[in-house]
Amino acid sequence: MSVEESLSRMPQMRLDELLEELQARINAARGTRDRVHSLLEVVVSVGRELDLPQVLRRIAEAAAQLVDAQYAALGVIGPDGRTLSQFLTVGLTEEEIARIGPLPAGHGLLGELIRNPEPLHLTDLGAHSVSYGFPAHHPPMRTFLGVPIRVRDEVFGNLYLTDKRGGQDFDAEDEAVISTLSVAAGVAIDNARLYEASQRQRRWLQANAEITNGLLSGKPRLEVLELIARRAGEIIGARVADVSVPVAGTDDLVVELAVGADDDTRRGLVVPVEGTLSGAAYQTGTPVTTVGLADDARFTAGPRRFDGLGPAVAVPLGAAAKDTRGVLLLARAEGEPVFTEGELQPLLAFAGQAALALELAERRRDAELLALLEDRDRIARDLHDLAIQRLFATGMTLQSAARLVEHAGAAERVQRAVGDLDETIKIIRSTIFGLRAREDETGPSLRARVARAVGEAGSALGFPPRLSMEGLLDTDVPPAVADHVMAALGETLSNAARHAHATRVEVSLQATADEVVLTVTDNGKGIPADGRRSGLQNLGERASSVGGVLDIRTPAEGGSQLIWRAPLAAVGEA
């Protein structure tokens, strides 16, 4: 090519360069326009969501899409402000997540953004001074971009993005896009939290109205308690809900009502006050929380019943520590969010409803007891003033008539009838005495003593025994025999706690016209043939000393059954 031709083509070459540069700028402008359009679409779609978990998932997916990242994650900072309470990932399959193991808690490089909430992008995240490396089975990652998410003046969490596709590094434009997204995310999260709080408040109000209706309609105490526990568990998202109440005469609590997973195994368990979450709330009269109930070193006492459970809260049922009537315990599954202050406030008000239910139930029981005592006084008065007088008059008439009966057999029958009437009058007088007796005058009745002993045995057994009583125990059983009954009961319950390894104990006490019978049955390992028999020997000697007998049996379903019986007539004659 000649010089002239070269010179003539230079303007053309210059024009081509200008056109190429113009095309590049047009493409860049188009790319920026498309990116801004995508960002606006994402902001609108994120702001449209009101379910908080869905909002968080959508934010993480949108962040990966906007900067073309292979992996993305959103970490929610926990209440302590130092660790992550939630961690959502994008780009990893469920199988990969399971192989990696526990999700990050916010240490190392992820914790750097928690400590310094400012945008951070790296060309090699492994080269950073606080990087700990990756756990086994974790996919390799190189480039990194992290941006905090703020909700009002609070740092809610962080967006983490790694490995931009094409092997490129994250640049300032990527940081600007994700920072813009984080602002929109903060607004969307705030809206979702407000909506969630309003919905929760509505459900609390509905539950309160339902409980109030139950109280006013006179529902049984356990039904109202179950309603309280079930509704609280549903609203708060708890896996289990337990209501524990004090055990009379002890420093322990017992799970009176259990709702949720494995409720049958928890109902009836004895919970020590010392070293348990429920016990701490009962002692202090204030709510007590934990981030992991199964692993909290502060609460290791009592039976193991919280495996697989994580965040939990125990709320006292009462206005103050001295007025606490029980404890409501709620626990979520392991790995779920911890309880926040915003959740505790309505829960406290709801617990007040539970305390009201217990108080009303107690007042109703007191009123029923008062009515029962008044009815017993009326029965005693009627028996004395009407029945005894008429029986006495009938006996006097028969005695007078007996003199006029000439037939010897008939006269003997009349005299026997008079004797029967006399015995009937004695029985009625004894019954009247029993109806009108008061504990403060005669000391605790046998019924009260047995109920107290069985209640106290729950602490040693780990569960409350079942108790049934029948007959005129407080009037027909002499004090000497009653003392032997109590000693035999204490011995059998102690043996069940120390040796039987039982999960169920049933106590039955019955007074008939002739004898008093104490039966204690358990489902433990039974009484070994070569085991120590000193306790059983003592029980037998006690029975023999009052003319009774001890019978040891093995039920068909296993365990053991001890039947201690003593006659009433022989002791009375003695």
Side-chain angles (χ1 to χ4, degrees):
M1 183 182 296
S2 63
V3 175
E4 289 79 3
E5 290 176 345
S6 298
L7 291 174
S8 64
R9 295 192 59 182
M10 285 184 64
Q12 183 67 37
M13 294 173 60
R14 179 61 178 165
L15 180 61
D16 290 343
E17 291 176 359
L18 290 174
L19 288 174
E20 289 177 1
E21 182 178 353
L22 178 60
Q23 185 64 46
R25 293 191 178 187
I26 291 173
N27 291 338
R30 185 180 293 114
T32 302
R33 182 201 64 185
D34 293 343
R35 201 169 196 183
V36 170
H37 183 70
S38 298
L39 178 60
L40 290 175
E41 285 184 342
V42 166
V43 168
V44 172
S45 66
V46 168
R48 193 181 297 122
E49 291 283 353
L50 288 175
D51 181 63
L52 185 57
Q54 288 297 326
V55 169
L56 300 180
R57 171 65 60 183
R58 183 72 186 103
I59 291 170
E61 293 172 346
Q65 175 187 344
L66 285 173
V67 297
D68 205 18
Q70 186 174 354
Y71 304 106
L74 192 155
V76 179
I77 300 175
D80 60 2
R82 300 187 302 273
T83 58
L84 299 175
S85 61
Q86 288 180 263
F87 196 79
L88 307 176
T89 61
V90 174
L92 294 174
T93 65
E94 294 295 331
E95 292 77 11
E96 289 175 323
I97 294 173
R99 285 199 302 271
I100 293 172
L103 294 174
H107 305 296
L109 185 60
L110 301 186
E112 181 67 17
L113 244 66
I114 298 176
R115 294 184 292 272
N116 302 298
E118 297 294 337
L120 174 66
H121 65 265
L122 305 169
T123 57
D124 184 4
L125 60 85
H128 197 279
S129 59
V130 298
S131 178
Y132 286 175
F134 298 110
H137 308 296
H138 195 288
M141 296 178 180
R142 188 180 66 83
T143 57
F144 175 85
L145 174 61
V147 175
I149 299 175
R150 285 182 168 83
V151 177
R152 300 178 187 269
D153 296 328
E154 165 199 0
V155 178
F156 175 82
N158 297 301
L159 274 170
Y160 307 103
L161 301 120
T162 61
D163 286 7
K164 187 169 183 174
R165 300 183 190 277
Q168 301 178 18
D169 293 339
F170 295 107
D171 54 23
E173 188 175 336
D174 294 327
E175 180 182 322
V177 169
I178 298 302
S179 296
T180 303
L181 174 63
S182 71
V183 174
V187 175
I189 291 170
D190 193 31
N191 289 339
R193 290 165 82 179
L194 290 173
Y195 176 77
E196 189 178 70
S198 67
Q199 290 298 101
R200 190 184 299 116
Q201 185 64 28
R202 178 184 62 81
R203 296 181 68 187
W204 283 125
L205 291 174
Q206 289 178 342
N208 281 329
E210 189 177 1
I211 291 165
T212 301
N213 290 336
L215 291 172
L216 295 178
S217 63
K219 279 188 177 181
R221 173 177 176 274
L222 274 181
E223 283 189 25
V224 177
L225 280 182
E226 182 177 3
L227 182 62
I228 289 169
R230 196 173 295 280
R231 291 294 177 267
E234 291 171 355
I235 296 172
I236 214 74
R239 185 181 176 188
V240 301
D242 289 354
V243 176
S244 301
V245 296
V247 179
T250 72
D251 293 329
D252 297 326
L253 305 172
V254 64
V255 180
E256 184 176 16
L257 188 135
V259 174
D262 302 324
D263 52 353
D264 288 337
T265 61
R266 299 195 317 278
R267 189 180 299 111
L269 288 176
V270 173
V271 181
V273 170
E274 296 292 339
T276 62
L277 187 72
S278 296
Y282 179 75
Q283 282 184 316
T284 61
T286 58
V288 182
T289 60
T290 177
V291 297
L293 187 56
D295 304 320
D296 198 319
R298 297 174 298 169
F299 310 118
T300 57
R304 295 299 301 171
R305 55 190 174 118
F306 297 122
D307 292 336
L309 297 180
V313 58
V315 184
L317 306 179
K322 62 180 180 179
D323 298 325
T324 301
R325 290 176 169 79
V327 176
L328 171 63
L329 183 140
L330 301 165
R332 289 172 173 158
E334 192 173 9
E336 292 190 0
V338 299
F339 289 93
T340 63
E341 188 65 28
E343 291 175 314
L344 292 183
Q345 290 304 320
L347 181 58
L348 280 174
F350 194 71
Q353 289 288 101
L356 178 61
L358 290 172
E359 185 173 354
L360 287 178
E362 290 176 4
R363 296 294 180 268
R364 190 178 296 121
R365 282 200 305 269
D366 291 344
E368 291 172 354
L369 179 59
L370 182 60
L372 175 63
L373 294 176
E374 290 176 349
D375 202 35
R376 290 170 76 177
D377 284 343
R378 180 188 60 77
I379 293 171
R381 185 170 57 251
D382 290 347
L383 285 174
H384 182 271
D385 297 342
L386 301 176
I388 288 182
Q389 302 304 326
R390 296 191 67 175
L391 287 173
F392 187 76
T394 303
M396 294 291 290
T397 302
L398 287 175
Q399 276 185 326
S400 299
R403 301 190 186 97
L404 303 177
V405 176
E406 297 180 355
H407 191 279
E412 182 183 354
R413 288 189 177 185
V414 171
Q415 289 296 335
R416 192 159 55 243
V418 172
D420 289 342
L421 286 173
D422 189 44
E423 287 298 319
T424 302
I425 291 172
K426 290 180 180 178
I427 292 172
I428 293 176
R429 281 178 172 165
S430 175
T431 302
I432 292 172
F433 176 77
L435 288 173
R436 289 181 168 172
R438 297 291 186 268
E439 274 199 8
D440 55 357
E441 299 172 359
T442 63
S445 65
L446 180 57
R447 284 179 178 271
R449 293 167 68 189
V450 170
R452 186 176 297 115
V454 171
E456 292 174 353
S459 178
L461 289 167
F463 56 88
R466 296 179 182 178
L467 173 63
S468 64
M469 291 184 281
E470 184 179 348
L472 299 176
L473 295 169
D474 297 337
T475 58
D476 285 8
V477 181
V481 177
D483 291 340
H484 284 294
V485 168
M486 292 306 303
L489 176 61
E491 181 69 26
T492 53
L493 290 177
S494 177
N495 288 341
R498 290 182 297 172
H499 308 302
H501 302 292
T503 59
R504 188 184 74 252
V505 174
E506 297 179 2
V507 177
S508 170
L509 184 62
Q510 182 181 22
T512 66
D514 303 319
E515 63 179 359
V516 59
V517 182
L518 171 67
T519 305
V520 179
T521 308
D522 67 66
N523 66 343
K525 62 181 184 179
I527 301 173
D530 56 348
R532 293 181 59 185
R533 297 266 175 163
S534 58
L536 298 177
Q537 183 178 351
N538 290 337
L539 290 174
E541 291 175 353
R542 282 188 177 276
S544 299
S545 67
V546 290
V549 66
L550 172 67
D551 186 12
I552 301 173
R553 301 177 183 177
T554 301
E557 62 273 15
S560 62
Q561 184 179 67
L562 279 73
I563 304 175
W564 190 98
R565 62 179 75 236
L568 298 179
V571 176
E573 293 169 2

